[in-house]
Amino acid sequence: MVNRRRFLTLSSLAGLLPSLSFGAAKTVTTSDTLDNQTATSENLRPLLSGPVVISTWKQPKANAAAQAVLDRHGRALDAVEAGVRIPEADPADMSVGYGGRPDRDGHVTLDACIMDEKGNAGSVTFLEHIMHPISVARAVMEKTPHVMLSGEGALTFALSQGFKKQNLLTPKAEKEWREWLKTAKYKPIANIERHDTIGMLAMDSKGDISGACTTSGLAYKMRGRVGDSPIIGAGLFVDNEIGGACATGLGELVMRTCGAFLVVELMRQGHTPQQACEEAAMRIIKKQDYKDIQVGFLALNKKGEYGAYSIQPGFNYTLSQQNKMEVTDAKSYLK
């Protein structure tokens, strides 16, 4: 059962695609994947001045929604929320929100977090029946004294805030789950992990950075399992003095290294976003059995420089700015 993204067995890009208009983004490749013995930081890509949106994977509709907010001189926080709500509501995206693949017991459980330019953060985990966990996470941030709510408590809070309860298990996802039950075999494998997430970073016209991350998590996971996506410092971290970072892939490995926080701290120490993403990946590679799993990092700093790096080839990201959009394959440790 292959993820809709179908991790491409392609080499990384040495540069960006030519500028494309919204809705016309596509991926191109070169033979510039890094040697598996050396993680270099060449090809730092400074952005043009002005607002920018960058997200994990090929997300033209999500980036367009976020960019529309920035084009109106809106906050980066509003932009990232608007952006990730798009895949949350898309039943064809079976790794985020409505239509997401269920856990092994047939329940769709969602995780999300959001972080603004002031260091405020909100998160929900193990949330059922609510299409937009990212908006619930923002409500946690803005309307409670807490950072994270989980499970029944998160659902009760969401309902109290006017969110509507609904069935998130689509007929397609249910059919695939029932087919999986025939063997009930579960083993995450690199590039066909049957899940993923959208992590998004944005910088607005004031130069402020915010981030969001949302997912339905691993398909057929144990009931109650939560990955890195809703955990501040693991799947997402923003420090408006420095920049922001988000992660994708197998969350257990990201959590063990506090991946997003590590990327931002490395940037604080003087690393470029590209160098920071590479070093964060190397922390996993040095200590974990990485050959059959995937983790990718994405980073944006206050200068408008960005970086992306993954363990396996196939991780790509979407960049949009000034009504232009590009989808690029990240550099990777393995060929």
Side-chain angles (χ1 to χ4, degrees):
M1 201 176 303
V2 181
N3 184 287
R4 71 174 182 84
R5 309 183 198 286
R6 298 180 183 274
F7 274 84
L8 306 175
T9 55
L10 303 171
S11 300
S12 308
L13 287 179
L16 288 172
L17 297 171
S19 298
L20 302 172
S21 60
F22 284 124
K26 63 179 181 179
T27 305
V28 298
T29 61
T30 72
S31 59
D32 196 37
T33 305
L34 294 180
D35 184 271
N36 64 1
Q37 298 297 318
T38 306
T40 68
S41 57
E42 62 189 23
N43 294 330
L44 173 68
R45 303 177 181 93
L47 299 175
L48 301 173
S49 60
V52 60
V53 180
I54 191 166
S55 62
T56 57
W57 306 109
K58 186 176 181 180
Q59 295 286 353
K61 293 180 180 179
N63 273 44
Q67 188 68 50
V69 174
L70 298 182
D71 288 344
R72 299 191 298 268
H73 303 287
R75 284 178 73 188
L77 180 69
D78 295 328
V80 295
E81 180 187 9
V84 303
R85 281 174 61 95
I86 300 300
E88 283 184 339
D90 184 359
D93 188 328
M94 301 184 71
S95 62
V96 179
Y98 177 53
R101 292 185 176 90
D103 63 20
R104 61 183 57 189
D105 296 323
H107 304 280
V108 178
T109 63
L110 307 179
D111 306 314
C113 71
I114 195 165
M115 196 167 187
D116 71 9
E117 76 280 5
K118 299 177 182 178
N120 299 312
S123 170
V124 289
T125 73
F126 194 44
L127 176 64
E128 299 183 71
H129 309 301
I130 303 296
M131 183 181 293
H132 291 297
I134 195 63
S135 295
V136 183
R138 181 169 179 175
V140 171
M141 178 178 73
E142 296 179 336
K143 298 182 180 181
T144 81
H146 307 306
V147 170
M148 181 180 289
L149 293 179
S150 185
E152 184 179 347
L155 175 59
T156 299
F157 172 72
L159 296 175
S160 76
Q161 298 301 306
F163 293 89
K164 303 301 181 182
K165 187 175 181 179
Q166 60 191 104
N167 178 22
L168 302 179
L169 184 63
T170 61
K172 182 179 180 181
E174 182 177 7
K175 181 180 179 181
E176 289 190 2
W177 167 65
R178 293 191 181 281
E179 185 67 24
W180 174 83
L181 283 176
K182 293 178 181 180
T183 60
K185 183 178 180 180
Y186 177 75
K187 180 182 180 181
I189 300 173
N191 300 341
I192 52 170
E193 291 163 298
R194 302 193 304 276
H195 85 288
D196 218 272
T197 181
I198 175 172
M200 178 178 284
L201 304 167
M203 184 165 62
D204 59 32
S205 58
K206 295 182 179 179
D208 290 329
I209 297 176
S210 293
C213 190
T214 183
T215 188
S216 56
L218 285 167
Y220 320 131
K221 60 196 174 187
M222 292 179 64
R223 183 150 175 80
R225 182 264 185 186
V226 174
D228 67 302
S229 296
I231 299 177
I232 300 299
L236 174 72
F237 192 73
V238 174
D239 184 328
N240 201 41
E241 294 180 354
I242 307 300
C246 54
T248 187
L250 188 62
E252 281 75 6
L253 300 187
V254 180
M255 287 188 283
R256 291 169 189 163
T257 54
C258 298
F261 177 80
L262 174 60
V263 171
V264 174
E265 283 303 295
L266 288 167
M267 290 193 293
R268 183 190 300 279
Q269 295 168 19
H271 289 68
T272 66
Q274 184 66 34
Q275 290 170 334
C277 289
E278 292 176 12
E279 175 59 24
M282 292 303 297
R283 297 287 179 93
I284 295 172
I285 291 165
K286 291 175 182 177
K287 296 183 178 180
Q288 305 290 333
D289 183 3
Y290 61 88
K291 293 183 180 179
D292 292 324
I293 53 87
Q294 174 71 305
V295 169
F297 291 104
L298 194 61
L300 174 69
N301 71 11
K302 292 285 284 186
K303 296 178 182 179
E305 299 166 340
Y306 61 97
Y309 195 71
S310 60
I311 297 174
Q312 308 280 346
F315 169 49
N316 53 34
Y317 60 93
T318 306
L319 170 71
S320 59
Q321 186 180 57
Q322 298 179 348
N323 296 321
K324 297 178 181 179
M325 184 177 297
E326 297 149 327
V327 178
T328 304
D329 287 335
K331 291 181 177 294
S332 61
Y333 180 72
L334 296 176
K335 292 182 179 180

